[in-house]
Amino acid sequence: MFLCSRRWWIQTSRPPHQNPPTTQPNGVSVIQSQARRAPPAPPLASAPRRPRPQQRQQAPPPDPAPRSAAGGTATSTSTGRMKKPSAEKDSDEYRQRRERNNLAVKKSRMRSKQKAQDTQQRVNELKEENERLEAKIKLLSKELSVLKDLFLEHAHNLADNVQPAGAAPDGASPANGATNNHSQ
Amino acid sequence: MFLCSRRWWIQTSRPPHQNPPTTQPNGVSVIQSQARRAPPAPPLASAPRRPRPQQRQQAPPPDPAPRSAAGGTATSTSTGRMKKPSAEKDSDEYRQRRERNNLAVKKSRMRSKQKAQDTQQRVNELKEENERLEAKIKLLSKELSVLKDLFLEHAHNLADNVQPAGAAPDGASPANGATNNHSQ
DNA sequence: GGCAATTGCGCAATCT
DNA sequence: TAGATTGCGCAATTGC
């Protein structure tokens, strides 16, 4: 599956600035398309149906000329050779396809933008949470420090007071607990 | 500043599908533009120079019709009235402007994409850091808990052993420290 | 084969 | 005046 779906007209060398001003009929489709664009904004589903994980592998462009862009419409080259039959553009089916695609494009871009916004917001949220966590760590560290100091102090007092008695009232060595690694 | 920069030709109703196939001269600019697009990818600075803090205030559009899109090129309506003088498009200056703008657009989009990627990466980094912080909190909490238990235990032993002696060797009450609020 | 979703691109209007 | 952004349509691709 690699052939163009509907582009059977040969594409040769085309200047990047095609479609010079020209008159063209087809007033009906005009009305249609405009009428379609008129509505503020159709529901526009929000569920991202397709993940599309793999990278868009651009088709092998053996031709040095990338693709001569699709800015406007396929037209003729300076040679005068027509690349895209104008009849196509007048086709009702063509217009319908274009309209549908245009809608799809809008939808896709909207989603893309929304996603970017969401990601940015996620960053903000995570940053806030990080701050909360850091604060908590600071608090716990301090609490731990105080407790350890208290422990050490008590141990010393105990030693000073006990020594005269000639025996420790407690086999456990409080200093042991206070020696716990404070880091990590 | 609110007037159009260069679009003095009146814009009326224009079909969404303008620029029908037409021949057009100007071979030089063609070569130029193609030659320009040929290079893989110019350096393209990576530093975000413009913050653009304020919202893009869209010009007051009293016209119900959005803007008739700029998809390709201004052309004529079904009436045959030319909206954009074809002479403009052949203008060398016009082509130069277009070329420059096209480059700017590419650059801008590239940056935009890069930024989005960076933001996504930032999310990942923040998530990782969050996990580290949570782990640290867990560890500290456990450590604190152990120490407090040790403290309480010691206090009890002390009380049991001291009572018989008839006097506490230490005025400080260990239980006091252990009573510290464990939460928050 | 068909169709919606993506994506790269050029144009024109704006913004800076 | 010029570069940067942004919305939009077109055409090529992709994936279902």
Side-chain angles (χ1 to χ4, degrees):
Chain A
M1 304 319 295
F2 172 63
L3 304 175
C4 296
S5 11
R6 308 186 184 79
R7 242 297 203 79
W8 67 91
W9 44 84
I10 294 79
Q11 169 129 25
T12 61
S13 66
R14 187 161 56 75
H17 53 295
Q18 64 294 94
N19 51 48
T22 317
T23 65
Q24 63 90 53
N26 189 327
V28 179
S29 61
V30 173
I31 296 172
Q32 285 182 333
S33 50
Q34 289 191 338
R36 181 102 63 83
R37 196 173 332 183
L44 264 176
S46 56
R49 286 74 126 294
R50 291 200 300 124
R52 185 189 277 260
Q54 65 184 93
Q55 287 284 327
R56 180 198 195 73
Q57 54 183 39
Q58 55 195 80
D63 184 350
R67 200 173 92 211
S68 70
T73 309
T75 61
S76 60
T77 15
S78 53
T79 67
R81 194 190 187 305
M82 294 300 251
K83 262 63 128 311
K84 185 167 188 170
S86 63
E88 289 313 306
K89 322 215 65 170
D90 295 336
S91 159
D92 220 38
E93 195 239 346
Y94 169 76
R95 281 322 311 166
Q96 284 178 26
R97 256 189 292 126
R98 287 304 328 136
E99 288 280 341
R100 275 200 304 274
N101 179 244
N102 289 342
L103 283 181
V105 168
K106 273 184 207 167
K107 190 174 169 183
S108 180
R109 286 171 177 157
M110 222 173 190
R111 266 195 217 147
S112 176
K113 205 169 292 183
Q114 184 62 55
K115 184 184 165 192
Q117 253 179 280
D118 292 350
T119 305
Q120 182 58 59
Q121 197 183 326
R122 185 92 178 93
V123 166
N124 296 335
E125 292 173 354
L126 285 172
K127 274 162 89 173
E128 275 182 45
E129 183 163 0
N130 261 28
E131 283 178 33
R132 280 206 310 280
L133 295 179
E134 301 255 28
K136 185 163 184 177
I137 286 177
K138 198 171 175 180
L139 188 97
L140 287 176
S141 295
K142 187 169 182 177
E143 205 174 324
L144 203 54
S145 173
V146 168
L147 209 54
K148 284 182 180 176
D149 285 347
L150 208 61
F151 226 152
L152 283 179
E153 187 189 346
H154 183 245
H156 288 162
N157 288 341
L158 204 59
D160 291 344
N161 293 334
V162 163
Q163 264 180 342
D170 186 351
S173 163
N176 201 7
T179 309
N180 260 334
N181 58 342
H182 199 183
S183 59
Q184 230 282 338
Chain B
M1 295 313 292
F2 171 63
L3 305 174
C4 297
S5 13
R6 309 185 183 81
R7 245 296 202 78
W8 68 89
W9 45 83
I10 295 79
Q11 169 128 28
T12 61
S13 65
R14 186 163 58 73
H17 53 298
Q18 62 293 96
N19 50 48
T22 317
T23 64
Q24 63 92 50
N26 191 328
V28 179
S29 61
V30 173
I31 296 173
Q32 286 181 334
S33 50
Q34 287 191 339
R36 181 103 64 79
R37 196 174 330 185
L44 264 177
S46 57
R49 287 75 125 293
R50 292 201 301 125
R52 186 189 274 258
Q54 66 186 90
Q55 286 284 324
R56 182 197 193 75
Q57 54 182 38
Q58 57 195 81
D63 183 354
R67 201 172 91 212
S68 71
T73 309
T75 61
S76 61
T77 15
S78 55
T79 65
R81 193 193 188 300
M82 293 299 253
K83 262 62 120 314
K84 185 168 189 171
S86 62
E88 289 312 308
K89 322 214 66 171
D90 294 338
S91 160
D92 221 38
E93 195 239 346
Y94 169 76
R95 282 323 310 169
Q96 283 178 28
R97 256 188 291 126
R98 287 304 328 136
E99 288 276 344
R100 276 201 302 274
N101 179 246
N102 289 341
L103 283 182
V105 168
K106 271 183 209 166
K107 191 173 168 183
S108 180
R109 285 170 177 157
M110 223 173 191
R111 271 207 288 247
S112 176
K113 205 169 292 183
Q114 184 62 56
K115 185 183 163 192
Q117 252 178 280
D118 292 350
T119 306
Q120 183 56 60
Q121 197 183 326
R122 184 94 178 90
V123 166
N124 296 336
E125 292 173 355
L126 285 173
K127 273 162 93 173
E128 276 182 44
E129 184 163 359
N130 260 29
E131 283 178 34
R132 280 206 308 280
L133 295 179
E134 301 254 28
K136 185 164 184 178
I137 286 177
K138 197 170 176 181
L139 188 97
L140 286 177
S141 295
K142 187 169 182 178
E143 206 174 325
L144 200 55
S145 173
V146 168
L147 209 52
K148 284 181 180 175
D149 285 348
L150 209 60
F151 226 151
L152 284 177
E153 186 188 344
H154 182 248
H156 289 163
N157 288 342
L158 204 59
D160 290 344
N161 292 334
V162 162
Q163 266 181 341
D170 185 351
S173 163
N176 200 6
T179 309
N180 261 332
N181 59 342
H182 200 180
S183 60
Q184 230 286 333

